[in-house]
Amino acid sequence: MLNKQQIKQTLILGWPISLQNILVTLLSMIDVVMVSHLGDAAIGAVGLGNRVMFVVMVIILGLSWGVGILAAQYYGAGQTKKIRLNILIGSIYGIIALIPIIVLNIFYADSILALGTDNEEVISLGQSYLWITMPSVIFVAVTQVIENALRSINQVKLPLIFSVVSIILNVILNYWLINGGLGVDAMGVSGAALATTLSRLFQMLILLVILKHIKHELSVKRSDFALLGNMADWTKLLKLIAPIMLSSGVWSLGTFCYQLIYSRMGINELAVISMLLPVEALIVSLFFGIASACSIMVGQHLGANRKAEAWNTAKTFALLSPFVAIFVGLLLLLAQKYILMPYQGASAESLALANQAFVVITLLSWMKVINMTLAMGVLRAGGDNRYCLITDATAMWCVALPLTFLAAFYWQLAFVYVLLISYSEDLIKAFMFGIRVKNKRWMKNLT
């Protein structure tokens, strides 16, 4: 079990990361809440647009997580210069990967949204939302690469501070641009999108400027650019991040397909899932910091060849996280009335469905937490990314998605039962990830 020093380190590393992710999740809820007075179409447009963005954002997370994994092991091995080099390489990889996505979004945003709904108003609003927000993914990629590198060397408060400032700016801009004022006409959904893009640009710029100003050890230096000619470093990072990004893409695309299924059931179902997915994300975000702390600690142990400590840390996190997640879910269930209160602008039918779905999400989200801990916190810390890719693809695409589709359109079950069946993915993954962690094949020194 973890000793007192390890528990203290977990809390020090985990709470700022969890708080930052909770704030980001709350912001996505705020976006939906702040346009809810415009009706179900606006709620659906922002919700559906956010799910398209989510696919790209999770791929970015895979990239930055890979940089963080390697950085944690380099830190354990005492090679700080290699961390700065991988920040550069990771940022370049991210920009190269994202430019084609941004270009395709310009031409095909409406077609992608049409997969999820045939409501012309939702498609039109969602298209405007995506045109404005999609370019911001480049800012997010650079920011997340640097943030994960900072976390890998146990510096978790700096990313939190920059994120809080960005979120406050986003909320202020949201209110102003959605509703208008000070000479600016009300922009509605487009205003929410512009606020998001501007705040993400600000976050990236302030992060780069402050790190350079304080002469931080991870602030990229001119001499670091000379090291970019070593193709071995490019190949090493690519081999690590490619399976993570592919796995993230497979999973996030699958989550988008779930939303397509729900949204094709009707505009009420689309509005409900737009309201409640942030609630599920809130639970997962709370434990994202714990999974990150686990990954950092396990990675540093493996980089220093302390395999016994790595196994002890992994085992403890895997056993404790689901029990704490169940407790948090029960607390949210008790607060259901207050959590759904901001959505009173939605239709009565949507609110009735939301109350049913809320119970499923809060009681079963612990399975997503255990999978995140096992996959992101343990297996990927040792570079076991191929197994994670196979597990994600099998559980989601071969089992859960087909069953959810059949439940919705062939068996024509009620929305709450369709949602319940989708959790078959997490049940299968928990079993497969648990076996892999137990056999210890993931325990590798990547440096």
Side-chain angles (χ1 to χ4, degrees):
M1 298 294 288
L2 292 176
N3 56 39
K4 290 183 179 180
Q5 183 60 34
Q6 288 175 314
I7 292 173
K8 182 180 179 181
Q9 185 180 5
T10 301
L11 294 174
I12 291 173
L13 291 174
W15 78 261
I17 302 174
S18 289
L19 180 57
Q20 181 178 355
N21 279 274
I22 288 170
L23 291 173
V24 171
T25 302
L26 285 173
L27 184 61
S28 67
M29 293 178 67
I30 290 170
D31 282 346
V32 176
V33 170
M34 293 182 78
V35 300
S36 64
H37 67 282
L38 302 176
D40 282 350
I43 295 174
V46 174
L48 196 54
N50 275 334
R51 294 316 289 179
V52 176
M53 289 290 293
F54 179 75
V55 175
V56 183
M57 299 290 272
V58 172
I59 296 174
I60 294 172
L61 177 61
L63 163 69
S64 62
W65 195 272
V67 173
I69 289 168
L70 203 52
Q73 293 215 13
Y74 277 133
Y75 184 68
Q79 301 180 43
T80 306
K81 183 181 290 188
K82 285 285 190 179
I83 301 177
R84 294 200 303 272
L85 177 60
N86 277 277
I87 289 174
L88 269 177
I89 296 174
S91 297
I92 294 171
Y93 274 141
I95 294 170
I96 292 172
L98 292 171
I99 287 177
I101 294 175
I102 295 170
V103 173
L104 288 172
N105 174 74
I106 296 173
F107 297 101
Y108 298 108
D110 57 341
S111 300
I112 295 171
L113 293 166
L115 295 173
T117 180
D118 54 6
N119 186 295
E120 292 297 330
E121 185 180 5
V122 172
I123 293 173
S124 177
L125 290 172
Q127 182 183 47
S128 299
Y129 185 83
L130 286 176
W131 279 349
I132 298 171
T133 55
M134 192 61 76
S136 71
V137 295
I138 286 182
F139 313 144
V140 175
V142 175
T143 301
Q144 287 199 3
V145 164
I146 298 173
E147 286 183 346
N148 272 282
L150 286 168
R151 292 165 182 160
S152 72
I153 64 170
N154 301 332
Q155 295 187 14
V156 291
K157 292 182 181 178
L158 274 177
L160 172 62
I161 293 170
F162 296 133
S163 184
V164 168
V165 173
S166 172
I167 288 168
I168 292 173
L169 176 63
N170 198 337
V171 171
I172 294 172
L173 290 176
N174 257 354
Y175 184 82
W176 177 32
L177 298 177
I178 290 172
N179 301 300
L182 300 178
V184 175
D185 293 333
M187 298 174 65
V189 169
S190 295
L194 183 57
T196 297
T197 298
L198 291 175
S199 62
R200 286 172 177 169
L201 173 61
F202 174 79
Q203 184 177 2
M204 181 191 73
L205 292 177
I206 192 173
L207 178 60
L208 292 171
V209 170
I210 295 297
L211 289 181
K212 184 175 180 61
H213 178 72
I214 64 176
K215 297 180 180 179
H216 193 278
E217 60 182 322
L218 294 192
S219 178
V220 175
K221 300 175 173 59
R222 287 185 180 180
S223 58
D224 296 325
F225 285 88
L227 302 175
L228 289 175
N230 186 358
M231 293 307 298
D233 290 309
W234 289 81
T235 303
K236 185 173 188 176
L237 182 59
L238 183 61
K239 286 181 177 179
L240 179 64
I241 65 173
I244 302 179
M245 292 178 71
L246 181 58
S247 179
S248 299
V250 167
W251 179 79
S252 60
L253 185 59
T255 62
F256 180 60
C257 288
Y258 283 128
Q259 177 133 2
L260 294 183
I261 292 172
Y262 303 142
S263 59
R264 279 292 178 178
M265 294 177 72
I267 192 170
N268 296 116
E269 286 80 1
L270 173 58
V272 169
I273 210 66
S274 299
M275 287 188 280
L276 294 187
L277 280 179
V279 175
E280 180 183 77
L282 184 64
I283 300 174
V284 174
S285 295
L286 179 62
F287 291 89
F288 183 81
I290 306 302
S292 298
C294 178
S295 178
I296 292 168
M297 293 169 66
V298 170
Q300 290 176 357
H301 287 320
L302 291 176
N305 286 317
R306 299 189 297 265
K307 291 189 175 181
E309 289 90 338
W311 168 246
N312 181 53
T313 302
K315 183 171 60 175
T316 303
F317 276 99
L319 291 174
L320 291 181
S321 60
F323 292 102
V324 181
I326 291 171
F327 177 72
V328 171
L330 291 174
L331 289 180
L332 288 175
L333 187 60
L334 292 174
Q336 177 177 352
K337 179 175 68 174
Y338 304 102
I339 293 172
L340 295 179
M341 191 177 294
Y343 297 109
Q344 297 306 308
S347 66
E349 187 176 351
S350 293
L351 289 173
L353 286 175
N355 277 283
Q356 295 174 6
F358 189 91
V359 177
V360 175
I361 288 175
T362 52
L363 292 184
L364 295 183
S365 290
W366 66 270
M367 288 195 289
K368 294 188 182 295
V369 170
I370 184 61
N371 289 328
M372 179 176 65
T373 303
L374 295 177
M376 299 178 70
V378 180
L379 298 178
R380 285 179 175 164
D384 198 6
N385 299 308
R386 185 177 300 176
Y387 183 85
C388 293
L389 170 60
I390 294 171
T391 301
D392 282 333
T394 302
M396 175 178 278
W397 289 93
C398 297
V399 181
L401 268 174
L403 284 177
T404 305
F405 180 86
L406 289 173
F409 304 117
Y410 184 73
W411 300 321
Q412 296 186 340
L413 299 180
F415 174 67
V416 66
Y417 296 113
V418 175
L419 181 63
L420 183 62
I421 287 173
S422 71
Y423 279 87
S424 60
E425 172 198 341
D426 299 288
L427 185 62
I428 295 169
K429 286 164 67 171
F431 177 74
M432 295 179 70
F433 286 146
I435 290 176
R436 189 68 169 185
V437 169
K438 189 176 180 181
N439 67 28
K440 301 183 183 180
R441 293 179 185 175
W442 50 273
M443 299 177 68
K444 299 173 185 176
N445 185 332
L446 304 176
T447 64

